[in-house]
Amino acid sequence: MATVRLDQKRHALVRAVPDSFGSALANFFGAGPSDVESARQTHKDYCAALEENGVKVTTIPTDEDYPDCIFVEDQAVIIDGHVLLPILGAPSRRGEQQPVADAIIDKLSGYKVCKMTPPAQMDGGDLLRFGDLFFVGRSSRTNDAGIAELRDLLDHLGYELRIVDIPDNALHLTSLASTPTDTILLAPKGYLEQSIFGELPDGGEIIWIPEAEAYGCNTLGLPNGKVLVADGYPTVVAELESRGLEVVSIDMAQIRAADGSLTCLSLFL
Ligand code: CIR
């Protein structure tokens, strides 16, 4: 997930794919999933890749009433012992949260849990951590009141927060950008202005990827230094490999069909 540093990624929560996944929301990259079994295979491959690369995986049972429930990244923000439970931007997804919150509390007793209050709205997929700097997407799912509540938490923890306006043709910040390591940020040309992230801390680098590979910019760095990447994005792979990173590819077609990406499928504790 986007809110922990690489060395903190030891335990991930995921949620199994429901039969109803074909009805998941799809307004941006995808036209809606057409093959639930293939989505399940992807989910299985994803969990196996996490386990094989040093991450313990806990699976929350699915809920047929919530076609989007596999996208657990959106349901909680976990930063250094603090958990913020956002009010999701899509009303149809708000009922997904309680079992995710219960699983977090079960695993992380002693963590401080706060709930957002209306009119704040935010999806966890709008949050991106770059070492000690955070970016939040102001999007169709995340509003200014949600950003203000997030800022309160980050001020308390002593971290800087910068806002990135998400264009109408994209869902979340993490739909367009990711931090495969604590010092590299991947983002697509065309969707985002090259000045939008501001000046990066010393040692930080943004790799700008051609617009046609925007979906491939969502990658997932693993604690052993490998990086999960969606199949079919050769520039992303070449850029990461040229920096000495080893890439593990996953066929994400059916997840992409529901506007989901690699990071959306897990929540790191
Ligand atoms: C939605 O529209 O909410 C889901 N179909 C996709 C959520 C993807 N989550 C993410 O980018 N963090």
Side-chain angles (χ1 to χ4, degrees):
M1 191 216 181
T3 59
V4 294
R5 288 193 309 267
L6 217 49
D7 62 353
Q8 297 172 316
K9 291 182 176 175
R10 292 290 167 196
H11 189 172
L13 292 178
V14 302
R15 196 160 189 188
V17 181
D19 290 340
S20 59
F21 183 58
S23 305
L25 298 172
N27 300 303
F28 298 93
F29 284 128
S34 54
D35 184 344
V36 177
E37 279 320 309
S38 165
R40 285 206 171 100
Q41 185 58 49
T42 295
H43 201 262
K44 206 168 146 198
D45 295 345
Y46 178 87
C47 294
L50 293 181
E51 295 267 13
E52 281 159 19
N53 291 289
V55 180
K56 177 175 159 40
V57 175
T58 297
T59 304
I60 302 169
T62 196
D63 186 337
E64 290 299 334
D65 289 341
Y66 295 102
D68 286 292
C69 67
I70 63 172
F71 300 119
V72 290
E73 176 183 52
D74 295 321
Q75 296 293 344
V77 171
I78 305 174
I79 306 170
D80 299 358
H82 293 253
V83 181
L84 176 62
L85 297 175
I87 298 174
L88 263 75
S92 66
R93 297 199 53 200
R94 292 180 186 156
E96 296 168 25
Q97 193 173 58
Q98 194 55 52
V100 179
D102 291 344
I104 294 169
I105 291 160
D106 180 51
K107 302 285 173 205
L108 299 177
S109 59
Y111 271 41
K112 201 166 164 6
V113 180
C114 308
K115 282 191 175 186
M116 269 191 177
T117 47
Q121 285 184 6
M122 194 177 84
D123 284 7
D126 269 317
L127 192 52
L128 186 61
R129 182 170 189 162
F130 187 69
D132 288 345
L133 171 63
F134 286 77
F135 296 100
V136 65
R138 179 160 43 204
S139 69
S140 58
R141 301 287 177 85
T142 297
N143 63 14
D144 284 324
I147 293 172
E149 290 206 21
L150 175 68
R151 190 180 292 287
D152 283 348
L153 172 63
L154 291 173
D155 281 350
H156 173 71
L157 296 172
Y159 292 124
E160 182 185 350
L161 179 66
R162 298 182 191 170
I163 297 173
V164 174
D165 282 310
I166 303 303
D168 292 343
N169 58 348
L171 173 56
H172 290 137
L173 176 55
T174 59
S175 313
L176 298 177
S178 67
T179 47
T181 73
D182 294 333
T183 56
I184 293 177
L185 202 161
L186 284 176
K189 293 177 190 159
Y191 282 83
L192 298 172
E193 289 291 324
Q194 300 217 357
S195 58
I196 203 155
F197 294 102
E199 197 170 321
L200 296 185
D202 283 351
E205 179 191 15
I206 301 188
I207 305 175
W208 289 97
I209 298 294
E211 189 170 352
E213 290 192 35
Y215 180 79
C217 289
N218 181 285
T219 64
L220 179 55
L222 296 167
N224 63 1
K226 294 188 190 176
V227 183
L228 290 191
V229 174
D231 259 351
Y233 300 94
T235 312
V236 173
V237 172
E239 293 286 359
L240 295 175
E241 287 182 345
S242 73
R243 287 160 179 83
L245 294 163
E246 191 178 332
V247 160
V248 178
S249 292
I250 305 244
D251 171 5
M252 291 292 286
Q254 285 299 307
I255 305 297
R256 177 184 164 135
D259 291 339
S261 315
L262 289 157
T263 61
C264 317
L265 297 174
S266 54
L267 197 49
F268 282 90
L269 301 179

